[in-house]
Amino acid sequence: MKISGQTSRPGRIAVSALPDPTASTMRLSVFDTFRDGRGLDALLVLLTLVYLIVFGLAPILYTVLMSLQQVDMFTLGDFSRPFVGFANYVDVLTRPEAGMVARHTLVFVALSVACQLVLGFALALFFQQDFPGAGIMRGLFLAAWIMPGLVVGGIWRWMLAGDNGVVNSLLAVTHLHPTKIFWMSDPATSLYAVTIANIWLGIPFNMLLLSVGLAAIPKDLYEAAQLDGAGPVERFRSITLPMMRATLGALVSLSVIFTLQQFDLFAGMTQGGPSNSSNVAQFWSWQLSFQTYDIAGGSTIAVLMIAVVIGVATLYVRSTRHEQIG
Amino acid sequence: MQITLDGLQKHYGTYHALKSIDLAVPAGQFVALVGPSGCGKSTLLRTIAGLEAISAGTLRIAGEDVTRRPPRQRDVAMVFQSYALYPHMTVAENMGYALKLRRLNRTDIARRTQVAAATLGLEALLGRYPRELSGGQRQRVAMGRAIVRDPKVFLFDEPLSNLDAALRVHMRGELRDLHDRLAATSVYVTHDQIEAMTMADHVVVMRAGRIEQQGRPLDLYDRPASRFVAGFIGSPAMNILPGTVDPSGRAARLDGAEGPLLSLPMLLEPGRPVLLGLRPEHLRLSQEGGARFDGVVDHIESTGSTTFVKLKVASQAMVMTLARRLDVTLGDPMQIGFDPADLHIFDRESEASLVTQRDAPPRAGRA
């Protein structure tokens, strides 16, 4: 890429020379640039760029625009709508449910990311051990990851059902919690019901990424540490964790982003209820935009969430930029 | 004895990697384990380190039975082929890691790291990370990490094989020098017989999980116990040609050769098929009588100081090294002579040497 960007490229000049009098020469040059691969670079970059602009940048910019305008059912088709500055932001943030939703989002993200990471790490370390069937069992864990969120939500809704859910019956049999928990209809537990489902859904991805990271740590480092006198805990603390820093950073950032995108489970399990007790920013944004048609409000929340994601991504890039192990 | 191996066995499932290894290493000795890939030399080193479990037999280090102990309770240090430096730690942290785990205080760690660094000329690099070091420097840090601990035993797993040729020769001397200065006990694995010969007090030649022969380097050179050791020790390798004992029992003839008989240094039963071994450096040009045979020059390589002559003798290839230049052309006939005392004879079947009982004459002055 770098090389082709620096060197002279006659083929490319011919392509960009639009009013070329000799069309046949031009066709030949176009063919040449693709044959020697130099034009292909540009084409691939261009296609990606077009895709990103059309499906990424443009919708984001449009969302930002709508968050600064007064949008209702009747002005949906227009670009020129009354500009209201940050009025939408003030409006959304001062709504009575705003604080609650923000708190729920924080709890949902923090619990999900932390538990997914810890359990995923434990499983990755477990499957790192060499035992018969390790590969197959690890593969089975990935089944959770390929299931559609709505299906997962539906299954967890059954499992967490108050009267005859399997979770409650297990808790009763083991005497851990003899009385029934109405997971999804009790405002005290509804957010945790969705969180549990989301943790389950995210563990395989965590395990997979962490397994890759673990596999990349040279075995002889552990052997050297063993000879230096490090026990298993010390080896984990002074070899595994530092060597996994980049992987962990990437994983936490990705998990935060994925968790902020988690919509299906809320749609499939609690619909944000009862009375917003399990409502989070992403679901609230959707409710505002597509249930109450307060599109400006929904866009505003979306923009705020984009800001958070960009912040997380920046932190991640910053933390790994100087990292070059090996 | 600093290290004693007694009937050591190692199985990997059905694969028998080490077959009853007996070895005793006195304190202060430098022992080289040498052999082709897959002979079990690295496995043996790793079982001494404790990185591989011992299937049967006992291992004693400084008199203590450590057969079942984990590596950290054996007080051995190992230098890995890949160096295995901790990439996220500086040179000083790499070297001080073992001391930190022993809960030494900070000043003690710093002092001992300094001393080790000074020994190896690493003082200026203590703050660097392994990725900022050259191959030779990494090698030194790996050694520094071992010596800072002052262990009972040093283990080396082909530590020089990732260095370029010139540095390897240099580090060979440096490593041996370090061993002497520290009065350490070292076990050194290498596939390079020159490294083994030049560095070690005691060389252990391994083959297919067994010790084929062990002894002082020059003893192995002078009296190889088998065709395998004869071919492995020495460079270029010993010429080993099939022959048959003459009816007299005091001479042998190369199979397929016309010329004169090669006189044997001892009496063997007539007609016995044998393998005749002659080191390239023991062959010489000969005009006069004695043990000799005819060859034809096939190929010549000259390095200036040494001339390697490849010969065809009775349609078999043979190499002769001469410490001088030679003015011959390809296809020239040549009379090759040698001292009958230099002839090695191996049984064709068992490939065991038939002359090991012979005392080697002093070889001073022979080129």
Side-chain angles (χ1 to χ4, degrees), chain A residues 218-274:
Chain A
K219 291 283 156 290
D220 52 11
L221 289 187
Y222 289 108
E223 295 181 344
Q226 262 180 288
L227 284 158
D228 272 344
V233 176
E234 184 55 35
R235 291 201 292 275
F236 180 77
R237 205 190 63 75
S238 59
I239 308 287
T240 310
L241 277 184
M243 296 294 288
M244 293 286 281
R245 231 183 86 176
T247 308
L248 287 170
L251 188 56
V252 168
S253 310
L254 285 174
S255 288
V256 168
I257 291 167
F258 287 164
T259 308
L260 282 176
Q261 285 178 353
Q262 183 49 263
F263 174 84
D264 306 16
L265 289 179
F266 290 95
M269 291 176 74
T270 62
Q271 300 279 332

Side-chain angles (χ1 to χ4, degrees), chain A residues 218-232 234-235 237-240 242-243 322-326, chain B residues 46 49-51 71-72 76-78 80 82-89 94 97-98 100-101 131 138 145 149:
Chain A
K219 291 283 156 290
D220 52 11
L221 289 187
Y222 289 108
E223 295 181 344
Q226 262 180 288
L227 284 158
D228 272 344
E234 184 55 35
R235 291 201 292 275
R237 205 190 63 75
S238 59
I239 308 287
T240 310
M243 296 294 288
H322 304 292
E323 197 102 1
Q324 192 48 261
I325 280 182
Chain B
R46 291 169 60 83
L51 296 172
R72 63 199 155 113
V76 296
M78 183 156 162
F80 290 79
S82 61
Y83 314 139
L85 300 179
Y86 310 123
H88 54 287
M89 298 184 197
N94 262 284
Y97 181 63
K100 203 173 113 191
L101 291 176
R131 62 174 176 275
R138 287 180 202 193
R145 197 168 62 178
R149 288 175 44 194

